[in-house]
Amino acid sequence: GFSSRNYYASQGIAACAYLYSYEPYTVVPQEPASFSHWMQELRASLGKAVEAILPEEEAGLLKGILMGDSSGISPELAADFRTVGLSHVLSVSGLHMTTVANLLLASLLALRVPRKGSAAIASAGVLLFMVVADFVPSAARSGIMCLLYLTGTLLSRRADSLNSLGLAVWVLCLASPYAGADVGLLLSYSATLGLILCSNPLTAWLDARVSSFQYGKRLFHAVLFTLPVIALTFRSVSAVGLLANLLALWPTTLLLQLGLGAAFLQLLLPGTLAAMPLAIPAGWLAKLVKAIV
């Protein structure tokens, strides 16, 4: 089951402390500024950009989906996400990384950038997004797999999904043996493993009984393989999880794409209306996702 001590260890936290009420304290900045400091600054700047282009409620939801920052989401809405089995969209994982990688590749190819050049630039974009996500284990897992795929494009080779998944988890556990205690990584890993294994012809009978279209079957595979982790961790399983994921997948993906573009435009061109063509539909999609949940 879930262990808070192991979870904190997976985040690199060895000890916790608290202050007594009204006790004076001083915050001493780290000198010189570390790489971690710059990462946090970038996350904070991106969060402020989101808050500048969207109303408070929609901005809070977008920050949760975009960066895994749930501080702007009400406890009631966060509980609804857990109840319907959609809490995974509030942690950066494979959906986010593949969306970023595909969006960058499609945009660069549309601008007639050579495929290998597009893959190299998309790799840099994936690394930047991993920084924005603060290298949480689930984001790092999917980021490493995306980088392996893009590296294969650069070398005119095809990355093997199962080997890529194994290598990504091995690298994470090599750097931090407690990474496996992170719930987000367990869910992300299980969903990805389900998608890889259930594409085997031996499971064709399951495909035929789930849906006539491919998206429904892929979602079923992901949900099926995450059920043991969800049951052990949260001691409950959502009966409407598959339906909720089917309804929310496209709006969430579009919200991620539009919100990411709007946030970076606002970050690069503050004080202008450059981000609004993307921010307005992103706000509508945030309302839709909330209504679905």
Side-chain angles (χ1 to χ4, degrees):
F2 178 77
S3 164
S4 59
R5 177 174 293 186
N6 289 346
Y7 172 75
Y8 282 128
S10 73
Q11 306 300 309
I13 299 172
C16 298
Y18 64 92
L19 293 169
Y20 290 103
S21 298
Y22 309 111
E23 183 178 354
Y25 64 91
T26 303
V27 178
V28 181
Q30 193 173 20
E31 295 292 345
S34 64
F35 179 67
S36 177
H37 170 77
W38 294 115
M39 287 195 302
Q40 295 299 328
E41 286 292 317
L42 178 60
R43 278 176 60 87
S45 299
L46 197 61
K48 291 177 182 177
V50 171
E51 293 169 355
I53 58 178
L54 288 176
E56 182 179 358
E57 193 172 358
E58 287 78 10
L61 182 56
L62 178 57
K63 285 197 299 181
I65 293 175
L66 187 62
M67 302 183 294
D69 179 7
S70 301
S71 59
I73 299 177
S74 67
E76 295 80 13
L77 183 58
D80 288 341
F81 267 94
R82 290 192 296 270
T83 300
V84 300
L86 276 174
S87 56
H88 62 88
V89 304
L90 300 179
S91 62
V92 182
S93 58
L95 172 66
H96 301 71
M97 287 298 175
T98 52
T99 297
V100 170
N102 289 332
L103 182 62
L104 287 173
L105 276 177
S107 301
L108 291 167
L109 291 174
L111 294 173
R112 300 186 182 279
V113 177
R115 188 165 187 82
K116 289 189 176 182
S118 299
I121 298 174
S123 297
V126 169
L127 279 172
L128 179 62
F129 196 72
M130 290 170 71
V131 170
V132 170
D134 204 15
F135 289 102
V136 295
S138 58
R141 191 279 310 164
S142 53
I144 293 172
M145 290 189 70
C146 282
L147 291 175
L148 288 170
Y149 169 78
L150 294 169
T151 301
T153 302
L154 286 171
L155 300 176
S156 300
R157 296 289 186 271
R158 183 178 178 181
D160 178 79
S161 300
L162 194 58
N163 283 335
S164 296
L165 177 62
L167 179 60
V169 175
W170 179 77
V171 169
L172 290 175
C173 290
L174 189 66
S176 172
Y178 278 95
D182 180 76
V183 177
L185 176 62
L186 290 175
L187 292 173
S188 176
Y189 167 81
S190 301
T192 305
L193 184 64
L195 292 174
I196 294 172
L197 296 182
C198 286
S199 62
N200 192 298
L202 293 176
T203 59
W205 66 271
L206 179 62
D207 292 343
R209 289 163 174 78
V210 175
S211 174
S212 59
F213 68 107
Q214 188 64 25
Y215 235 51
K217 290 184 286 187
R218 287 175 62 85
L219 269 175
F220 183 84
H221 296 156
V223 172
L224 179 67
F225 272 67
T226 55
L227 283 180
V229 179
I230 293 173
L232 283 172
T233 303
F234 302 110
R235 305 303 173 101
S236 64
V237 174
S238 172
V240 295
L242 180 60
L243 175 62
N245 278 273
L246 283 170
L247 291 174
L249 181 62
W250 277 111
T252 302
T253 303
L254 289 174
L255 173 58
L256 179 60
Q257 294 173 340
L258 295 173
L260 182 64
F264 272 106
L265 282 174
Q266 179 65 21
L267 197 61
L268 297 173
L269 302 170
T272 69
L273 298 177
M276 296 317 293
L278 299 179
I280 292 173
W284 295 339
L285 286 167
K287 289 180 179 292
L288 176 60
V289 171
K290 181 184 175 185
I292 289 171
V293 172

